[in-house]
């Protein structure tokens, strides 16, 4: 079974990272570094629209700790009006459940948006099958009157007749205490083979949040991003 890698600050957001299957190369012994740049018409985080038309520049560092992988990433999102940041920290390791191999992950995330921000923690499981890669993450915001929910993602990587070109359809659903959301789309990924890759994403986004800047009302999102692995 191929190793399923769920990144933190990845080109074009969560759906692309959930589909990724190649680990970063090591810059030094036990340490890897990714740098990324992308642009998207909107940013969807946890099924909520958190900003429009933004450039994203991000850095991800990772190392092996305690039998698992510790990752820390920071991203800057530049819009016409402001610059937001996002911080992600996670630790993941393989676990065996009922004779099946899973990747378990605990995470912390701090999100700044055009409309405010939040901090949250999460606990997730991911499984890689020949039919699809699937993951489930239970998340909970920190603070009083905090939101909570579960994010479910399924994706599959299809190789194409063009060498190093992959097609990755996906679906992500968030079931929260105060809203429901869905994102369905496709990522096209091309690996240049020297640490550099490029990805384009097109996705349909919707949630049932009413009268809020976080609302997604049958919105479409197109983005393009580049990643370099040291």
């Amino acid at each position: 079974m191929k190793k399923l890698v769920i990144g933190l600050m990845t080109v074009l957001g969560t759906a692309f990272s959930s589909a990724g299957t190649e680990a970063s190369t090591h810059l030094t012994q036990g340490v890897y570094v990714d740098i990324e740049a992308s642009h998207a018409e909107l940013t969807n985080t946890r099924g909520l629209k958190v900003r429009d038309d933004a450039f994203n520049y991000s850095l991800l560092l990772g190392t092996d700790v305690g039998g698992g992988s510790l990752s820390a990433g920071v991203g800057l999102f530049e819009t016409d009006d402001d610059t937001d940041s996002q911080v992600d920290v996670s630790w993941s390791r393989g676990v065996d459940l009922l004779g099946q191999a899973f990747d378990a992950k605990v995470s912390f995330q701090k999100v700044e948006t055009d409309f405010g921000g939040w901090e949250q923690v999460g606990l997730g499981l991911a499984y890689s099958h020949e039919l699809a890669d699937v993951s489930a993450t239970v998340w909970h915001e920190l603070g009083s009157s905090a939101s909570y929910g579960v994010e479910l993602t399924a994706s599959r990587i299809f190789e194409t007749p063009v060498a190093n070109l992959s097609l990755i359809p996906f679906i992500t659903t968030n079931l929260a205490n105060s809203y429901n959301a869905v994102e369905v789309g496709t990522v096209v990924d091309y690996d240049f083979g020297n640490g550099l890759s490029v990805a384009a994403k097109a996705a349909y986004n919707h949630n049932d949040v009413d009268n809020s800047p976080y609302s997604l009302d049958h919105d479409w999102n197109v983005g393009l991003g580049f990643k370099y692995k040291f």
Side-chain angles (χ1 to χ4, degrees):
M1 183 183 72
K2 66 180 180 294
K3 179 176 176 59
L4 176 66
V5 178
I6 298 183
L8 289 173
M9 303 301 297
T10 50
V11 174
L12 303 178
T14 318
F16 181 41
S17 65
S18 298
T21 57
E22 182 180 355
S24 301
T25 54
H26 285 165
L27 179 64
T28 59
Q29 183 64 33
V31 178
Y32 63 81
V33 180
D34 288 358
I35 58 173
E36 300 158 10
S38 65
H39 176 267
E41 293 179 340
L42 66 85
T43 307
N44 178 344
T45 299
R46 216 182 61 201
L48 303 173
K49 183 179 76 171
V50 295
R51 64 185 66 87
D52 286 309
D53 195 24
F55 287 92
N56 173 30
Y57 312 98
S58 59
L59 171 69
L60 172 69
L61 303 175
T63 189
D64 297 330
V65 173
S69 178
L70 177 66
S71 300
V74 60
L76 297 178
F77 297 84
E78 182 179 328
T79 66
D80 291 337
D81 301 323
D82 202 357
T83 299
D84 302 329
S85 66
Q86 181 169 315
V87 176
D88 296 81
V89 180
S90 76
W91 181 78
S92 61
R93 64 168 298 170
V95 296
D96 186 87
L97 297 175
L98 302 176
Q100 300 294 320
F102 290 82
D103 285 334
K105 181 177 76 170
V106 293
S107 61
F108 167 82
Q109 185 178 67
K110 181 177 181 179
V111 180
E112 289 184 352
T113 80
D114 288 347
F115 326 115
W118 65 80
E119 297 178 348
Q120 70 179 49
V121 293
L123 177 62
L125 280 177
Y127 179 71
S128 182
H129 189 268
E130 60 182 8
L131 295 179
D133 296 332
V134 296
S135 66
T137 301
V138 177
W139 52 264
H140 199 296
E141 290 184 14
L142 303 180
S144 59
S145 302
S147 296
Y148 56 89
V150 59
E151 181 172 88
L152 308 172
T153 297
S155 62
R156 181 171 179 176
I157 301 175
F158 291 94
E159 302 300 331
T160 69
V162 179
N164 302 322
L165 182 68
S166 300
L167 184 68
I168 311 166
F170 67 90
I171 180 171
T172 298
T173 300
N174 270 272
L175 306 174
N177 63 313
S178 57
Y179 69 93
N180 297 312
V182 64
E183 180 181 17
V184 183
T186 298
V187 172
V188 179
D189 175 45
Y190 184 78
D191 186 354
F192 289 94
N194 58 358
L196 177 66
S197 61
V198 59
K201 172 184 172 182
Y204 163 84
N205 301 261
H206 183 69
N207 62 35
D208 59 6
V209 179
D210 295 325
N211 301 318
S212 168
Y214 296 110
S215 297
L216 290 165
D217 186 13
H218 305 289
D219 291 317
W220 286 89
N221 180 29
V222 177
L224 178 69
F226 297 86
K227 174 191 287 186
Y228 188 78
K229 303 176 181 180
F230 288 91

